[in-house]
Amino acid sequence: MTTGNWLCLILFPLILTIMAFPMGEYMAKVFSGGRSFLTPVLSPVERFLYRLFAVDPKEEMSWKTYALSLVLFNIIGIAVLFLLQLIQGFLPFNPQQFGAVRWDTALNTAISFGTNTNWQAYSGEQTMSYLTQMLGLTVQNFTSAAIGIAASIAVIRGFIRKSAAAIGNFWVDLTRTVLYILLPLVIIVSFVLVSQGVVQTLSPSIEATTLEGGKQVIAVGPVASQVAIKQIGTNGGGFFNANSAHPLENPTPLTDFLELLSLLLIAAALPFTLGAMLKNRRQGVAIFAAMMVLYLAGLGVFAWTEMRGSPLLEKAGVASGMNMEGKEARFGVVNSVIFAQSTTVTSCGAVNSMHDSLLPLSGLVLMFNMAIGEVIFGGVGTGLIGMLSYAILTMFLAGLMIGRTPELMGKKLELFEMVMAVVIIVTPAILQLVLSSVAISTQAGIASLGNTGPHGLSEIIYAFASTSGNNGSAFAGLNANTIFYNLTTSLAMIIGRFSTIIPALAIAGALAQKKIVPVSTATFPTTSSLFIFMLVCVVIVVGALTFFPVFTLGPLLEHLLMAVGKTF
Amino acid sequence: MMQLKRSILVFAGLSIICGLIYPMTITVVSQVIFPQKSNASVIKKGDVIIGSEIIGQLFTRPEYFHSRPSAIDPPYDASNSSGSNLAPSSAKLWQQVKARVEQVRKENSLPSNIPIPADLVLASASGLDPDISAEAALIQAPRIARERKIPESVVEKIIHQNTENPFLGIWGMPHVNVLRLNIALESIAVQR
């Protein structure tokens, strides 16, 4: 590895940390109703919207009302997106004259974008009209991200409030997220992207006569506005099939850097928001630190694997066996590694390289990131929720060790919170293992494989880890646009999403009702490095115990067989 | 019931803001401020569009720099981006790479044991990669000089002039845009 490579690997996490802290503080201000530099501009718009929506911003909701509003809003969005795809042929802004999307693909896409997964069974430039991209997919990119952030803020309120029946107002949290957080960021990012060459037009595809006289049709569209939000909202659904590897979606190393920072920013900032809202910033730092340790550990293994290259390629005469299959020349190996690690730890799923062609141990790291439930930064909102569930589990274990009722951030943890936290942690794991085994045992599941041997198993596990964790990236050799995969992955996405958010809101409701226990000498400090260490261990142990057998048969076996020169 | 009505209202409102006002505003402003970039950076020769500066093209003739292999069928179809998605343990990939390595060595009259730059024989992620590494350009220089009957130093100079460095010196890889290289070659031919 060159010095530049090392610098990238060290500087990027550093820059992320430096940017996440003020972002977290800013979000805390937005959700505590404080004033920020954007308040003078945006608060008239905000008041106007509340009047339009018939929302009383002072109204407070119980966790059940909050959850009901959230689910209703989410389902309406999914239904509208489903219909929009079916009737896009009759609507404007469709210069390539795409007809209705097949029903199962449309259903899968609607659920996928509605749940912040952005798993794409379709190829964007061959399927979706410009109107569907904007009014359908872009809208869901905003709302599904805002739903996740709102839910995490409600959970934070559960920890702050004492003897309270309510956890906030969903409509207010949603509106504030879109107005104060998402829109300002995406507008800036959009313009920087366009200035570098990301296309943004409503004109039809361009027909070119190449230098050698061939014909080339270049698909274009309103790309920058879609790319900005799919990164900022950890959505990940690209305008084009090749996602952020496509030169018109990610043309230069600068846009690559910006897209990478965008996809991590909010998720990495939320622990600091937690700290600021708790008025215990060290708590935010502790949660962030646990996430960062896991992020760096995976990044280390991943970078080491890819930089070593492939023994097979070296034998075939490729210089240093460098694995450039499925990677872009302007990014190279190290940036593709940082991007892939970041997109799988957050539930983004945007890709600047093709994950299917990564080396086996690299694929293993990515699958682990998703399989543990997207808690290393995670999706916007849902990542913090997942990590707090692991923190509840950690404190339960610590409580058993010291023989005391577990507490977290001043709240006693009892049976109800434990059960809900376990539901959040275990459901995605069960989902992916059960659905993967269904896929391996049926003809419909096997027929879609793009590669055979142990890598075929990896393709299936990756698909269900990605959809259950609401990530959305893929080992794209698997042909997922079949009725079998469209329906099974839809199931994984929708259960994966709501089995995180609804139990989390229930925890918030239960915690808000409790008193705050004063800190005493017997309190296990949840800001200490011992706590960070235990939290990291719990995440790794739960992940390893659940997935080690299947990882052995997939990526580990492929790695060993490749080393002795076996191909499939 | 009240929450259902609100859900519909809020969804309609946010759809208009995020799905129409936002992308339309970005489109209009981009078209005014960045007319070239927002329209896919097309390059014209007279009135004919010869391509986009940032979308790769297929080059097969020996007097042109060749782009990376494209997994799209047909190669470099810019309306259907895709990688090969072949596994590192795929026998098909192994066969493809061996054949491509042989072909590159033959085309450039290289000895049979010389390693070939990875990007020149492995397919890109998008299938539309406009760039190759500087090394991949340099090993093609002797062939191009021979075919075009120009000194090799001229070809190398074109490569160096067109090499783009990583962002901040570290982010990304040094790369050269193949279409731009070939346009530069054409302009030399015209001057002579």
Side-chain angles (χ1 to χ4, degrees), chain A residues 321-338:
Chain A
M322 190 171 159
N323 184 23
M324 282 297 285
E325 183 75 18
K327 295 191 181 73
E328 297 282 295
R330 61 194 178 284
F331 306 140
V333 173
V334 167
N335 286 11
S336 304
V337 163
I338 302 178

Side-chain angles (χ1 to χ4, degrees), chain B residues 27 29 44 50 55 59-60 87 91 99 103 112 115 119 136 142 153 157:
Chain B
T27 307
V29 177
K44 285 185 181 173
I50 56 171
I55 291 287
F59 291 101
T60 50
Q103 197 191 344
S112 66
D119 56 308
S153 61
K157 201 174 141 210

Side-chain angles (χ1 to χ4, degrees), chain A residues 325-356:
Chain A
E325 183 75 18
K327 295 191 181 73
E328 297 282 295
R330 61 194 178 284
F331 306 140
V333 173
V334 167
N335 286 11
S336 304
V337 163
I338 302 178
F339 203 108
Q341 171 71 0
S342 306
T343 200
T344 49
V345 295
T346 64
S347 77
C348 184
V351 297
N352 80 349
S353 66
M354 291 300 134
H355 293 183
D356 216 348

